[in-house]
Amino acid sequence: MSKTACVILAAGKGVRMGSEKSKVLHPLCGKPLLSYVIACARETNMNPIHTIIGHGAEKVKAAFSGENLKWVLQEKQMGTAHAISLAAPLLRDSSGTLVVLCGDAPLITAETLNKLVSLHEMNKDTAVTVLSGIVNSPNQYGRLIRNATGQLMAIIETSNATEEQLRINEINSGIYAFNPQKLFDAIKEVKPNSKNGEYYLPDVVSLLAKKGERVEVLVAQDATECLGINSREELAKANRIMEERIQKKLINQGVLIIDPSKTYIEADVNIGTDTVIFPFTVIRSGVKIGANCEVGPFSHLRTGTVLKDHAEVGNFTETKKTKIGEHSKAKHLSYLGDTIIGNNVNIGAGTITANYDGKSKHQTVIEDGASTGSGTVLVAPVKLGKDSVTGAGAVVTKGNDVPQGVTVAGVPAKPLGSKKPKHKRKK
Ligand code: UD1
Ligand code: CA
């Protein structure tokens, strides 16, 4: 495969999302839509990656500042062909294939992109290869118009389609592999659409076909890869599909998810083998779980959570930026935030780390072998030493670290035995 450059279309506002936020920044399984498209371009070794931005450009740039992308600003969104034409000075003389991706089509896979580029490069004369999908509800997608021998003749947008054309169920994914010279020659001839004055990239495909250029189509094996997200409803649908993919991958890696449909796991979550995830558990993006752990039912593991091997987290336990060591347990009704928990620790039912003082977040450290009684509150910053114990209902106040092996109880918690009752009530 020769060198493949890529342009990602991401300038649109996404009016149909009903949001002030740029469409490509909306989260899908915990990560912005655009991040999936970039990851896919990277996985297929596309370089350089040009991203066309416009609406909310500064925020998009800031969200992906570490990604080494080339930004192209489309100040006014005048259509997909106009957007691509802005990249012409950068790409028209490149020798390899140019792939166009949509920032609002995050379900595309590297496997399909590789197939698209391979098909495109099978014949060096090919001007464009379009990725299409066969769907039940073609809705707002552009339709592929083929002739009697199956040759692609044109792509028609719904607003310009006849009743008969609207019945076609082969849709344009908005993803293409182009010969850059042929693309940028034809793009000059695109006329603004009669309905809204926008310049449509699919018109380039129709123009190339009309000129007798070689135009190919790859029909996606799984049409969900072509899903474009224009509305909240489509975002929710894409979220479900991505979620299924995430869980399927984890299951195939040896994780036992008891009921996938009742479990929610976001992107970039690592889980070791033989770990069991019980239903009604939510695992947010970036969480790392070791092997042989038990999670749920009803656990919420938020970003920054790390569970080491054999750790257990149970009902109504929420963790955030918290590390739980090997063989440690937090089985019931806990909030553990900004907490470092060692090995063989038992977190009693209802233990809370009070990590926020109204201004800042503070850390709690619970060392190896420590255990907390039911209803313990640990006011951070605070440390429970190795093998220390708190009694039921203890409130360990901030800075009052519990030394190794010591048991504390009461409010505020004091070492047991050291506390003399001040007023002995007489009967
Ligand atoms: C587009 C295609 C349609 C295809 C569908 C697949 C056109 C005219 N139509 O329709 O054939 O079936 O995608 O999802 O291309 N964008 C810009 N600048 C612009 C306009 C759009 O960068 O001036 C970006 C958007 O941010 C978006 C992508 O291009 O990421 C597609 O634009 P959108 O308006 O969503 O096109 P669709 O109506 O979905
Ligand atoms: Ca779209």
Side-chain angles (χ1 to χ4, degrees):
M1 201 183 285
S2 66
K3 196 170 163 243
T4 306
C6 165
V7 179
I8 304 175
L9 294 169
K13 180 177 181 198
V15 183
R16 290 164 279 183
M17 295 295 282
S19 165
E20 278 310 305
K21 199 155 59 179
S22 166
K23 178 160 68 173
V24 293
L25 291 183
H26 281 267
L28 176 74
C29 291
K31 282 170 49 183
L33 294 182
L34 183 57
S35 67
Y36 293 90
V37 183
I38 294 168
C40 212
R42 292 235 185 280
E43 211 182 321
T44 43
N45 294 319
M46 291 183 193
N47 186 36
I49 302 174
H50 295 273
T51 308
I52 317 274
I53 47 175
H55 185 82
E58 288 312 311
K59 285 192 178 143
V60 177
K61 266 188 183 173
F64 295 94
S65 56
E67 282 279 0
N68 189 27
L69 301 169
K70 300 207 182 307
W71 303 107
V72 179
L73 185 66
Q74 186 192 27
E75 284 186 36
K76 199 162 171 244
Q77 284 78 65
M78 292 164 66
T80 43
H82 174 256
I84 291 291
S85 70
L86 297 175
L90 305 161
L91 289 164
R92 82 160 292 127
D93 298 324
S94 55
S95 54
T97 298
L98 173 60
V99 167
V100 173
L101 300 174
C102 282
D104 69 349
L107 295 177
I108 183 70
T109 63
E111 196 187 345
T112 300
L113 279 189
N114 279 330
K115 276 190 199 160
L116 182 78
V117 174
S118 298
L119 174 62
H120 182 75
E121 293 177 351
M122 241 157 70
N123 191 312
K124 69 177 180 19
D125 293 333
T126 305
V128 60
T129 305
V130 178
L131 179 68
S132 79
I134 312 284
V135 297
N136 291 329
S137 317
N139 298 335
Q140 298 303 310
Y141 291 94
R143 309 293 204 273
L144 266 67
I145 314 294
R146 295 184 186 250
N147 69 9
T149 61
Q151 271 297 307
L152 178 63
M153 304 307 289
I155 301 178
I156 305 284
E157 295 302 301
T158 44
S159 56
N160 302 104
T162 63
E163 281 296 314
E164 197 189 336
Q165 286 168 337
L166 285 177
R167 280 195 289 275
I168 295 172
N169 66 350
E170 184 177 18
I171 55 107
N172 173 25
S173 66
I175 294 167
Y176 323 79
F178 279 105
N179 170 309
Q181 284 79 36
K182 293 184 191 219
L183 161 67
F184 292 121
D185 282 342
I187 216 165
K188 291 185 230 150
E189 296 172 41
V190 173
K191 302 268 181 301
N193 187 269
S194 58
K195 295 270 165 35
N196 58 12
E198 283 191 12
Y199 295 83
Y200 286 175
L201 188 55
D203 285 356
V204 171
V205 178
S206 309
L207 274 166
L208 290 168
K210 209 164 158 192
K211 283 174 192 279
E213 290 282 0
R214 180 182 279 268
V215 171
E216 300 281 359
V217 180
L218 175 72
V219 183
Q221 233 164 38
D222 173 1
T224 63
E225 288 192 35
C226 303
L227 187 77
I229 295 171
N230 302 306
S231 65
R232 301 262 179 190
E233 223 178 307
E234 282 163 344
L235 179 60
K237 185 174 170 191
N239 211 79
R240 260 199 317 275
I241 296 167
M242 186 57 81
E243 169 65 11
E244 265 173 36
R245 285 190 197 168
I246 289 168
Q247 292 201 33
K248 190 171 170 190
K249 194 168 160 197
L250 290 168
I251 288 167
N252 288 329
Q253 285 168 356
V255 179
L256 175 56
I257 301 176
I258 303 282
D259 188 346
S261 70
K262 294 185 180 65
T263 305
Y264 183 72
I265 305 179
E266 289 187 340
D268 297 341
V269 169
N270 291 326
I271 308 183
T273 50
D274 293 320
T275 282
V276 186
I277 311 290
F278 286 94
F280 306 106
T281 288
V282 172
I283 304 176
R284 309 294 297 273
S285 177
V287 168
K288 291 185 172 49
I289 301 174
N292 296 294
C293 292
E294 210 178 283
V295 179
F298 299 100
S299 297
H300 184 191
L301 307 187
R302 290 167 55 195
T303 299
T305 296
V306 176
L307 303 193
K308 301 303 239 180
D309 297 348
H310 299 277
E312 296 182 21
V313 173
N315 316 258
F316 306 106
T317 293
E318 174 185 351
T319 60
K320 186 220 72 176
K321 282 194 191 156
T322 285
K323 186 189 142 198
I324 301 186
E326 286 180 24
H327 294 278
S328 289
K329 297 177 184 179
K331 299 288 279 185
H332 336 267
L333 305 161
S334 273
Y335 171 63
L336 302 167
D338 304 293
T339 304
I340 310 278
I341 298 174
N343 301 331
N344 301 303
V345 167
N346 189 62
I347 302 292
T351 296
I352 305 288
T353 56
N355 60 330
Y356 185 51
D357 61 11
K359 287 196 189 90
S360 326
K361 304 279 169 69
H362 301 281
Q363 197 174 58
T364 302
V365 175
I366 305 174
E367 293 187 339
D368 296 352
S371 79
T372 65
S374 298
T376 293
V377 177
L378 304 170
V379 185
V382 78
K383 184 168 109 181
L384 298 189
K386 216 170 160 228
D387 299 321
S388 65
V389 177
T390 66
V395 175
V396 184
T397 48
K398 77 176 170 193
N400 288 311
D401 296 353
V402 178
Q404 178 173 347
V406 169
T407 299
V408 296
V411 183
K414 297 261 163 57
L416 272 191
S418 75
K419 190 180 153 200
K420 296 225 167 67
K422 272 187 191 158
H423 313 285
K424 241 186 176 173
R425 239 188 251 160
K426 283 182 182 155
K427 282 197 176 159

